[in-house]
Amino acid sequence: QVQLVESGGELVQAGGSLRLSCVASGRTFSSNVMGWFRQAPGKEREFVAAISRSGDNTNYADSVNGRFTISRDNAKNTMYLRMNSLKPEDTATYYCAARMSIGFTLPTSSTSYSYWGQGTQVTVSS
């Protein structure tokens, strides 16, 4: 079992920056492919970014590529999402997710991830 707890979401003005954190319990964090997803009211949950077990490989949604940076610190069992140049359309609840994997793929589908946090709210005002 993996328990995930996100933090760092808040109200920010357009053009601003935030850093989200996701702390994982357990001793298997480095065995997990990790991802960030988001869900806005009335919309489906969508992929934001994913990172390999070592942190060497990343994958981003087109909508955030170049503005967001995913990273991880396996020694701290923590994953991060640095968000720059925030836009009102980035407003959503952001979820971290974990996928037990021995492979190298970084899935974009939420069904590929087994463990989820409770979410942290990011609101970007115009």
Side-chain angles (χ1 to χ4, degrees):
Q1 287 286 340
V2 177
Q3 291 185 326
L4 305 172
V5 179
E6 304 97 332
S7 63
E10 61 181 71
L11 173 65
V12 63
Q13 289 188 334
S17 298
L18 282 176
R19 188 180 78 161
L20 306 183
S21 299
C22 172
V23 178
S25 65
R27 296 175 290 179
T28 61
F29 180 73
S30 60
S31 300
N32 296 322
V33 167
M34 300 294 296
W36 285 100
F37 289 76
R38 66 187 182 186
Q39 188 167 18
K43 296 187 177 181
E44 293 187 352
R45 189 169 299 191
E46 65 174 0
F47 171 76
V48 175
I51 188 166
S52 63
R53 291 169 291 157
S54 66
D56 290 342
N57 295 297
T58 58
N59 188 19
Y60 295 94
D62 290 343
S63 59
V64 307
N65 197 21
R67 299 187 298 122
F68 291 10
T69 302
I70 189 172
S71 62
R72 66 191 296 165
D73 184 338
N74 286 343
K76 295 182 178 180
N77 279 13
T78 303
M79 175 180 65
Y80 305 98
L81 184 68
R82 177 67 178 181
M83 305 185 293
N84 295 329
S85 302
L86 282 161
K87 305 175 181 179
E89 51 264 43
D90 294 319
T91 295
T93 301
Y94 283 71
Y95 298 90
C96 69
R99 165 184 167 87
M100 290 292 294
S101 175
I102 60 173
F104 296 95
T105 60
L106 301 178
T108 61
S109 171
S110 62
T111 58
S112 297
Y113 293 81
S114 301
Y115 304 100
W116 293 84
Q118 83 290 346
T120 186
Q121 178 66 38
V122 173
T123 304
V124 184
S125 63
S126 57

mmCIF file of all heavy atoms in Angstrom, residues 42-83:
data_model
loop_
_atom_site.group_PDB
_atom_site.id
_atom_site.type_symbol
_atom_site.label_atom_id
_atom_site.label_comp_id
_atom_site.label_asym_id
_atom_site.label_seq_id
_atom_site.Cartn_x
_atom_site.Cartn_y
_atom_site.Cartn_z
ATOM 1 N N GLY A 42 -16.743 19.942 -13.274
ATOM 2 C CA GLY A 42 -17.492 19.606 -14.470
ATOM 3 C C GLY A 42 -16.680 18.987 -15.576
ATOM 4 O O GLY A 42 -17.205 18.736 -16.671
ATOM 5 N N LYS A 43 -15.404 18.738 -15.328
ATOM 6 C CA LYS A 43 -14.539 18.158 -16.351
ATOM 7 C C LYS A 43 -13.949 16.847 -15.868
ATOM 8 O O LYS A 43 -13.908 16.564 -14.675
ATOM 9 C CB LYS A 43 -13.431 19.137 -16.722
ATOM 10 C CG LYS A 43 -13.924 20.417 -17.372
ATOM 11 C CD LYS A 43 -12.763 21.261 -17.865
ATOM 12 C CE LYS A 43 -13.259 22.505 -18.589
ATOM 13 N NZ LYS A 43 -12.119 23.333 -19.092
ATOM 14 N N GLU A 44 -13.468 16.071 -16.817
ATOM 15 C CA GLU A 44 -12.824 14.812 -16.474
ATOM 16 C C GLU A 44 -11.415 15.069 -15.929
ATOM 17 O O GLU A 44 -10.788 16.079 -16.233
ATOM 18 C CB GLU A 44 -12.755 13.903 -17.701
ATOM 19 C CG GLU A 44 -14.115 13.433 -18.186
ATOM 20 C CD GLU A 44 -13.979 12.406 -19.297
ATOM 21 O OE1 GLU A 44 -12.851 12.176 -19.773
ATOM 22 O OE2 GLU A 44 -15.011 11.840 -19.698
ATOM 23 N N ARG A 45 -10.942 14.106 -15.164
ATOM 24 C CA ARG A 45 -9.571 14.188 -14.665
ATOM 25 C C ARG A 45 -8.614 14.074 -15.852
ATOM 26 O O ARG A 45 -8.794 13.208 -16.721
ATOM 27 C CB ARG A 45 -9.314 13.086 -13.651
ATOM 28 C CG ARG A 45 -8.005 13.203 -12.918
ATOM 29 C CD ARG A 45 -7.950 12.242 -11.743
ATOM 30 N NE ARG A 45 -8.996 12.518 -10.757
ATOM 31 C CZ ARG A 45 -9.035 11.959 -9.557
ATOM 32 N NH1 ARG A 45 -8.108 11.088 -9.192
ATOM 33 N NH2 ARG A 45 -10.013 12.250 -8.719
ATOM 34 N N GLU A 46 -7.608 14.930 -15.887
ATOM 35 C CA GLU A 46 -6.683 14.918 -17.020
ATOM 36 C C GLU A 46 -5.239 14.825 -16.552
ATOM 37 O O GLU A 46 -4.869 15.283 -15.465
ATOM 38 C CB GLU A 46 -6.861 16.181 -17.878
ATOM 39 C CG GLU A 46 -6.500 17.473 -17.204
ATOM 40 C CD GLU A 46 -6.550 18.669 -18.160
ATOM 41 O OE1 GLU A 46 -6.876 18.492 -19.353
ATOM 42 O OE2 GLU A 46 -6.244 19.781 -17.700
ATOM 43 N N PHE A 47 -4.461 14.232 -17.400
ATOM 44 C CA PHE A 47 -3.030 14.047 -17.152
ATOM 45 C C PHE A 47 -2.311 15.384 -17.202
ATOM 46 O O PHE A 47 -2.595 16.223 -18.053
ATOM 47 C CB PHE A 47 -2.460 13.106 -18.213
ATOM 48 C CG PHE A 47 -0.968 12.996 -18.218
ATOM 49 C CD1 PHE A 47 -0.305 12.249 -17.268
ATOM 50 C CD2 PHE A 47 -0.227 13.633 -19.194
ATOM 51 C CE1 PHE A 47 1.073 12.141 -17.283
ATOM 52 C CE2 PHE A 47 1.150 13.530 -19.235
ATOM 53 C CZ PHE A 47 1.805 12.785 -18.273
ATOM 54 N N VAL A 48 -1.358 15.556 -16.282
ATOM 55 C CA VAL A 48 -0.521 16.753 -16.271
ATOM 56 C C VAL A 48 0.934 16.395 -16.559
ATOM 57 O O VAL A 48 1.550 16.938 -17.482
ATOM 58 C CB VAL A 48 -0.626 17.482 -14.915
ATOM 59 C CG1 VAL A 48 0.335 18.658 -14.865
ATOM 60 C CG2 VAL A 48 -2.062 17.928 -14.651
ATOM 61 N N ALA A 49 1.487 15.473 -15.767
ATOM 62 C CA ALA A 49 2.899 15.124 -15.931
ATOM 63 C C ALA A 49 3.171 13.797 -15.248
ATOM 64 O O ALA A 49 2.434 13.387 -14.349
ATOM 65 C CB ALA A 49 3.797 16.206 -15.340
ATOM 66 N N ALA A 50 4.238 13.130 -15.680
ATOM 67 C CA ALA A 50 4.665 11.885 -15.067
ATOM 68 C C ALA A 50 6.184 11.844 -15.027
ATOM 69 O O ALA A 50 6.855 12.506 -15.836
ATOM 70 C CB ALA A 50 4.119 10.674 -15.825
ATOM 71 N N ILE A 51 6.705 11.049 -14.089
ATOM 72 C CA ILE A 51 8.152 10.969 -13.923
ATOM 73 C C ILE A 51 8.546 9.528 -13.639
ATOM 74 O O ILE A 51 7.838 8.799 -12.932
ATOM 75 C CB ILE A 51 8.610 11.922 -12.797
ATOM 76 C CG1 ILE A 51 10.130 12.018 -12.737
ATOM 77 C CG2 ILE A 51 8.016 11.527 -11.448
ATOM 78 C CD1 ILE A 51 10.623 13.190 -11.888
ATOM 79 N N SER A 52 9.667 9.125 -14.190
ATOM 80 C CA SER A 52 10.140 7.760 -14.024
ATOM 81 C C SER A 52 10.645 7.523 -12.603
ATOM 82 O O SER A 52 10.800 8.457 -11.807
ATOM 83 C CB SER A 52 11.256 7.482 -15.024
ATOM 84 O OG SER A 52 12.368 8.335 -14.752
ATOM 85 N N ARG A 53 10.932 6.267 -12.318
ATOM 86 C CA ARG A 53 11.348 5.907 -10.959
ATOM 87 C C ARG A 53 12.627 6.619 -10.536
ATOM 88 O O ARG A 53 12.783 7.039 -9.401
ATOM 89 C CB ARG A 53 11.526 4.395 -10.860
ATOM 90 C CG ARG A 53 10.215 3.624 -10.949
ATOM 91 C CD ARG A 53 10.479 2.137 -11.113
ATOM 92 N NE ARG A 53 11.050 1.839 -12.410
ATOM 93 C CZ ARG A 53 11.770 0.756 -12.679
ATOM 94 N NH1 ARG A 53 12.027 -0.118 -11.727
ATOM 95 N NH2 ARG A 53 12.230 0.546 -13.903
ATOM 96 N N SER A 54 13.530 6.778 -11.466
ATOM 97 C CA SER A 54 14.804 7.431 -11.146
ATOM 98 C C SER A 54 14.717 8.947 -11.232
ATOM 99 O O SER A 54 15.570 9.652 -10.699
ATOM 100 C CB SER A 54 15.884 6.944 -12.102
ATOM 101 O OG SER A 54 15.588 7.377 -13.421
ATOM 102 N N GLY A 55 13.695 9.428 -11.930
ATOM 103 C CA GLY A 55 13.573 10.861 -12.164
ATOM 104 C C GLY A 55 14.244 11.320 -13.440
ATOM 105 O O GLY A 55 14.179 12.500 -13.783
ATOM 106 N N ASP A 56 14.845 10.412 -14.166
ATOM 107 C CA ASP A 56 15.581 10.789 -15.372
ATOM 108 C C ASP A 56 14.672 11.091 -16.563
ATOM 109 O O ASP A 56 15.082 11.795 -17.495
ATOM 110 C CB ASP A 56 16.549 9.671 -15.766
ATOM 111 C CG ASP A 56 17.703 9.542 -14.799
ATOM 112 O OD1 ASP A 56 17.951 10.512 -14.036
ATOM 113 O OD2 ASP A 56 18.355 8.485 -14.803
ATOM 114 N N ASN A 57 13.479 10.515 -16.543
ATOM 115 C CA ASN A 57 12.563 10.695 -17.676
ATOM 116 C C ASN A 57 11.255 11.311 -17.200
ATOM 117 O O ASN A 57 10.741 10.970 -16.133
ATOM 118 C CB ASN A 57 12.289 9.359 -18.353
ATOM 119 C CG ASN A 57 13.542 8.788 -18.982
ATOM 120 O OD1 ASN A 57 14.106 9.367 -19.892
ATOM 121 N ND2 ASN A 57 13.989 7.655 -18.479
ATOM 122 N N THR A 58 10.733 12.224 -18.009
ATOM 123 C CA THR A 58 9.481 12.898 -17.692
ATOM 124 C C THR A 58 8.582 12.965 -18.918
ATOM 125 O O THR A 58 9.048 12.801 -20.050
ATOM 126 C CB THR A 58 9.734 14.332 -17.178
ATOM 127 O OG1 THR A 58 10.467 15.061 -18.170
ATOM 128 C CG2 THR A 58 10.495 14.320 -15.872
ATOM 129 N N ASN A 59 7.317 13.198 -18.673
ATOM 130 C CA ASN A 59 6.334 13.314 -19.739
ATOM 131 C C ASN A 59 5.331 14.386 -19.314
ATOM 132 O O ASN A 59 4.922 14.416 -18.152
ATOM 133 C CB ASN A 59 5.620 11.965 -19.943
ATOM 134 C CG ASN A 59 4.713 11.946 -21.147
ATOM 135 O OD1 ASN A 59 4.837 12.763 -22.044
ATOM 136 N ND2 ASN A 59 3.797 11.000 -21.190
ATOM 137 N N TYR A 60 4.953 15.264 -20.242
ATOM 138 C CA TYR A 60 4.066 16.377 -19.918
ATOM 139 C C TYR A 60 2.900 16.455 -20.892
ATOM 140 O O TYR A 60 3.033 16.147 -22.082
ATOM 141 C CB TYR A 60 4.812 17.715 -19.980
ATOM 142 C CG TYR A 60 5.894 17.866 -18.952
ATOM 143 C CD1 TYR A 60 7.213 17.542 -19.249
ATOM 144 C CD2 TYR A 60 5.598 18.345 -17.673
ATOM 145 C CE1 TYR A 60 8.215 17.683 -18.300
ATOM 146 C CE2 TYR A 60 6.593 18.493 -16.721
ATOM 147 C CZ TYR A 60 7.895 18.156 -17.040
ATOM 148 O OH TYR A 60 8.883 18.297 -16.089
ATOM 149 N N ALA A 61 1.781 16.924 -20.387
ATOM 150 C CA ALA A 61 0.677 17.274 -21.270
ATOM 151 C C ALA A 61 1.075 18.508 -22.079
ATOM 152 O O ALA A 61 1.825 19.363 -21.594
ATOM 153 C CB ALA A 61 -0.573 17.578 -20.448
ATOM 154 N N ASP A 62 0.580 18.589 -23.294
ATOM 155 C CA ASP A 62 0.914 19.722 -24.152
ATOM 156 C C ASP A 62 0.541 21.049 -23.500
ATOM 157 O O ASP A 62 1.236 22.055 -23.674
ATOM 158 C CB ASP A 62 0.193 19.590 -25.495
ATOM 159 C CG ASP A 62 0.749 18.469 -26.346
ATOM 160 O OD1 ASP A 62 1.877 17.993 -26.068
ATOM 161 O OD2 ASP A 62 0.060 18.048 -27.291
ATOM 162 N N SER A 63 -0.539 21.048 -22.752
ATOM 163 C CA SER A 63 -1.050 22.291 -22.168
ATOM 164 C C SER A 63 -0.136 22.873 -21.101
ATOM 165 O O SER A 63 -0.251 24.056 -20.769
ATOM 166 C CB SER A 63 -2.444 22.052 -21.583
ATOM 167 O OG SER A 63 -2.403 21.039 -20.587
ATOM 168 N N VAL A 64 0.750 22.062 -20.550
ATOM 169 C CA VAL A 64 1.624 22.549 -19.469
ATOM 170 C C VAL A 64 3.101 22.475 -19.842
ATOM 171 O O VAL A 64 3.955 22.984 -19.098
ATOM 172 C CB VAL A 64 1.393 21.769 -18.160
ATOM 173 C CG1 VAL A 64 -0.083 21.784 -17.792
ATOM 174 C CG2 VAL A 64 1.908 20.340 -18.241
ATOM 175 N N ASN A 65 3.416 21.843 -20.945
ATOM 176 C CA ASN A 65 4.806 21.673 -21.351
ATOM 177 C C ASN A 65 5.484 23.028 -21.502
ATOM 178 O O ASN A 65 4.975 23.931 -22.170
ATOM 179 C CB ASN A 65 4.864 20.892 -22.660
ATOM 180 C CG ASN A 65 6.236 20.342 -22.921
ATOM 181 O OD1 ASN A 65 7.049 20.188 -22.014
ATOM 182 N ND2 ASN A 65 6.514 20.011 -24.174
ATOM 183 N N GLY A 66 6.622 23.175 -20.845
ATOM 184 C CA GLY A 66 7.345 24.438 -20.883
ATOM 185 C C GLY A 66 7.018 25.365 -19.728
ATOM 186 O O GLY A 66 7.756 26.326 -19.465
ATOM 187 N N ARG A 67 5.922 25.087 -19.025
ATOM 188 C CA ARG A 67 5.535 25.913 -17.871
ATOM 189 C C ARG A 67 5.658 25.156 -16.554
ATOM 190 O O ARG A 67 5.971 25.750 -15.527
ATOM 191 C CB ARG A 67 4.095 26.410 -18.021
ATOM 192 C CG ARG A 67 3.852 27.272 -19.243
ATOM 193 C CD ARG A 67 2.451 27.873 -19.233
ATOM 194 N NE ARG A 67 1.403 26.861 -19.271
ATOM 195 C CZ ARG A 67 0.445 26.733 -18.344
ATOM 196 N NH1 ARG A 67 0.410 27.549 -17.298
ATOM 197 N NH2 ARG A 67 -0.484 25.800 -18.455
ATOM 198 N N PHE A 68 5.394 23.861 -16.590
ATOM 199 C CA PHE A 68 5.431 23.027 -15.393
ATOM 200 C C PHE A 68 6.653 22.121 -15.431
ATOM 201 O O PHE A 68 7.077 21.681 -16.502
ATOM 202 C CB PHE A 68 4.186 22.153 -15.305
ATOM 203 C CG PHE A 68 2.892 22.890 -15.028
ATOM 204 C CD1 PHE A 68 2.809 24.270 -15.071
ATOM 205 C CD2 PHE A 68 1.741 22.172 -14.720
ATOM 206 C CE1 PHE A 68 1.623 24.936 -14.820
ATOM 207 C CE2 PHE A 68 0.541 22.810 -14.458
ATOM 208 C CZ PHE A 68 0.483 24.202 -14.517
ATOM 209 N N THR A 69 7.176 21.821 -14.235
ATOM 210 C CA THR A 69 8.306 20.900 -14.114
ATOM 211 C C THR A 69 8.019 19.898 -13.006
ATOM 212 O O THR A 69 7.766 20.292 -11.869
ATOM 213 C CB THR A 69 9.605 21.649 -13.808
ATOM 214 O OG1 THR A 69 9.865 22.612 -14.830
ATOM 215 C CG2 THR A 69 10.770 20.670 -13.731
ATOM 216 N N ILE A 70 8.068 18.628 -13.359
ATOM 217 C CA ILE A 70 7.888 17.566 -12.376
ATOM 218 C C ILE A 70 9.258 17.075 -11.929
ATOM 219 O O ILE A 70 10.194 16.994 -12.737
ATOM 220 C CB ILE A 70 7.039 16.408 -12.967
ATOM 221 C CG1 ILE A 70 6.668 15.394 -11.895
ATOM 222 C CG2 ILE A 70 7.754 15.747 -14.145
ATOM 223 C CD1 ILE A 70 5.678 14.332 -12.391
ATOM 224 N N SER A 71 9.368 16.763 -10.650
ATOM 225 C CA SER A 71 10.633 16.248 -10.127
ATOM 226 C C SER A 71 10.339 15.378 -8.914
ATOM 227 O O SER A 71 9.214 15.347 -8.425
ATOM 228 C CB SER A 71 11.577 17.397 -9.753
ATOM 229 O OG SER A 71 11.000 18.193 -8.726
ATOM 230 N N ARG A 72 11.353 14.673 -8.452
ATOM 231 C CA ARG A 72 11.177 13.819 -7.288
ATOM 232 C C ARG A 72 12.477 13.724 -6.504
ATOM 233 O O ARG A 72 13.574 13.860 -7.068
ATOM 234 C CB ARG A 72 10.693 12.425 -7.700
ATOM 235 C CG ARG A 72 11.693 11.624 -8.497
ATOM 236 C CD ARG A 72 11.046 10.366 -9.087
ATOM 237 N NE ARG A 72 10.597 9.435 -8.063
ATOM 238 C CZ ARG A 72 9.754 8.418 -8.295
ATOM 239 N NH1 ARG A 72 9.279 8.234 -9.514
ATOM 240 N NH2 ARG A 72 9.404 7.609 -7.312
ATOM 241 N N ASP A 73 12.321 13.460 -5.222
ATOM 242 C CA ASP A 73 13.459 13.230 -4.338
ATOM 243 C C ASP A 73 13.184 11.902 -3.642
ATOM 244 O O ASP A 73 12.415 11.850 -2.679
ATOM 245 C CB ASP A 73 13.593 14.374 -3.333
ATOM 246 C CG ASP A 73 14.811 14.251 -2.454
ATOM 247 O OD1 ASP A 73 15.330 13.119 -2.312
ATOM 248 O OD2 ASP A 73 15.236 15.264 -1.898
ATOM 249 N N ASN A 74 13.787 10.845 -4.124
ATOM 250 C CA ASN A 74 13.499 9.516 -3.581
ATOM 251 C C ASN A 74 13.965 9.377 -2.133
ATOM 252 O O ASN A 74 13.405 8.598 -1.366
ATOM 253 C CB ASN A 74 14.129 8.438 -4.454
ATOM 254 C CG ASN A 74 13.375 8.263 -5.763
ATOM 255 O OD1 ASN A 74 12.227 8.705 -5.914
ATOM 256 N ND2 ASN A 74 14.021 7.642 -6.739
ATOM 257 N N ALA A 75 14.976 10.120 -1.750
ATOM 258 C CA ALA A 75 15.453 10.058 -0.359
ATOM 259 C C ALA A 75 14.424 10.638 0.603
ATOM 260 O O ALA A 75 14.404 10.275 1.782
ATOM 261 C CB ALA A 75 16.767 10.809 -0.233
ATOM 262 N N LYS A 76 13.569 11.527 0.080
ATOM 263 C CA LYS A 76 12.542 12.154 0.916
ATOM 264 C C LYS A 76 11.144 11.622 0.633
ATOM 265 O O LYS A 76 10.169 12.124 1.176
ATOM 266 C CB LYS A 76 12.553 13.671 0.707
ATOM 267 C CG LYS A 76 13.832 14.349 1.162
ATOM 268 C CD LYS A 76 13.754 15.856 0.967
ATOM 269 C CE LYS A 76 15.012 16.536 1.464
ATOM 270 N NZ LYS A 76 14.964 18.013 1.286
ATOM 271 N N ASN A 77 11.060 10.620 -0.241
ATOM 272 C CA ASN A 77 9.752 10.066 -0.614
ATOM 273 C C ASN A 77 8.793 11.167 -1.085
ATOM 274 O O ASN A 77 7.595 11.141 -0.764
ATOM 275 C CB ASN A 77 9.109 9.308 0.565
ATOM 276 C CG ASN A 77 9.653 7.899 0.712
ATOM 277 O OD1 ASN A 77 10.663 7.551 0.110
ATOM 278 N ND2 ASN A 77 8.995 7.096 1.519
ATOM 279 N N THR A 78 9.316 12.096 -1.836
ATOM 280 C CA THR A 78 8.527 13.263 -2.218
ATOM 281 C C THR A 78 8.641 13.557 -3.708
ATOM 282 O O THR A 78 9.726 13.452 -4.286
ATOM 283 C CB THR A 78 8.962 14.502 -1.420
ATOM 284 O OG1 THR A 78 8.843 14.234 -0.025
ATOM 285 C CG2 THR A 78 8.081 15.695 -1.760
ATOM 286 N N MET A 79 7.499 13.916 -4.289
ATOM 287 C CA MET A 79 7.445 14.363 -5.667
ATOM 288 C C MET A 79 6.973 15.813 -5.673
ATOM 289 O O MET A 79 6.217 16.226 -4.789
ATOM 290 C CB MET A 79 6.470 13.492 -6.473
ATOM 291 C CG MET A 79 6.262 13.946 -7.894
ATOM 292 S SD MET A 79 5.113 12.910 -8.820
ATOM 293 C CE MET A 79 3.580 13.193 -7.954
ATOM 294 N N TYR A 80 7.407 16.560 -6.677
ATOM 295 C CA TYR A 80 7.066 17.971 -6.766
ATOM 296 C C TYR A 80 6.493 18.301 -8.145
ATOM 297 O O TYR A 80 6.759 17.607 -9.127
ATOM 298 C CB TYR A 80 8.313 18.834 -6.537
ATOM 299 C CG TYR A 80 9.028 18.560 -5.255
ATOM 300 C CD1 TYR A 80 10.150 17.714 -5.232
ATOM 301 C CD2 TYR A 80 8.605 19.123 -4.058
ATOM 302 C CE1 TYR A 80 10.824 17.455 -4.051
ATOM 303 C CE2 TYR A 80 9.265 18.863 -2.863
ATOM 304 C CZ TYR A 80 10.374 18.030 -2.875
ATOM 305 O OH TYR A 80 11.037 17.766 -1.698
ATOM 306 N N LEU A 81 5.737 19.387 -8.173
ATOM 307 C CA LEU A 81 5.301 19.963 -9.437
ATOM 308 C C LEU A 81 5.489 21.463 -9.338
ATOM 309 O O LEU A 81 4.763 22.143 -8.610
ATOM 310 C CB LEU A 81 3.843 19.628 -9.749
ATOM 311 C CG LEU A 81 3.352 20.118 -11.109
ATOM 312 C CD1 LEU A 81 4.048 19.341 -12.245
ATOM 313 C CD2 LEU A 81 1.829 19.977 -11.245
ATOM 314 N N ARG A 82 6.471 21.965 -10.048
ATOM 315 C CA ARG A 82 6.706 23.396 -10.095
ATOM 316 C C ARG A 82 5.877 23.954 -11.242
ATOM 317 O O ARG A 82 6.008 23.529 -12.384
ATOM 318 C CB ARG A 82 8.183 23.690 -10.340
ATOM 319 C CG ARG A 82 8.505 25.185 -10.484
ATOM 320 C CD ARG A 82 8.293 25.928 -9.196
ATOM 321 N NE ARG A 82 8.635 27.355 -9.302
ATOM 322 C CZ ARG A 82 8.547 28.219 -8.307
ATOM 323 N NH1 ARG A 82 8.132 27.820 -7.108
ATOM 324 N NH2 ARG A 82 8.869 29.477 -8.493
ATOM 325 N N MET A 83 5.034 24.935 -10.938
ATOM 326 C CA MET A 83 4.132 25.499 -11.926
ATOM 327 C C MET A 83 4.437 26.980 -12.091
ATOM 328 O O MET A 83 4.301 27.753 -11.133
ATOM 329 C CB MET A 83 2.678 25.298 -11.492
ATOM 330 C CG MET A 83 2.329 23.839 -11.206
ATOM 331 S SD MET A 83 0.589 23.590 -10.847
ATOM 332 C CE MET A 83 0.451 24.443 -9.301
#
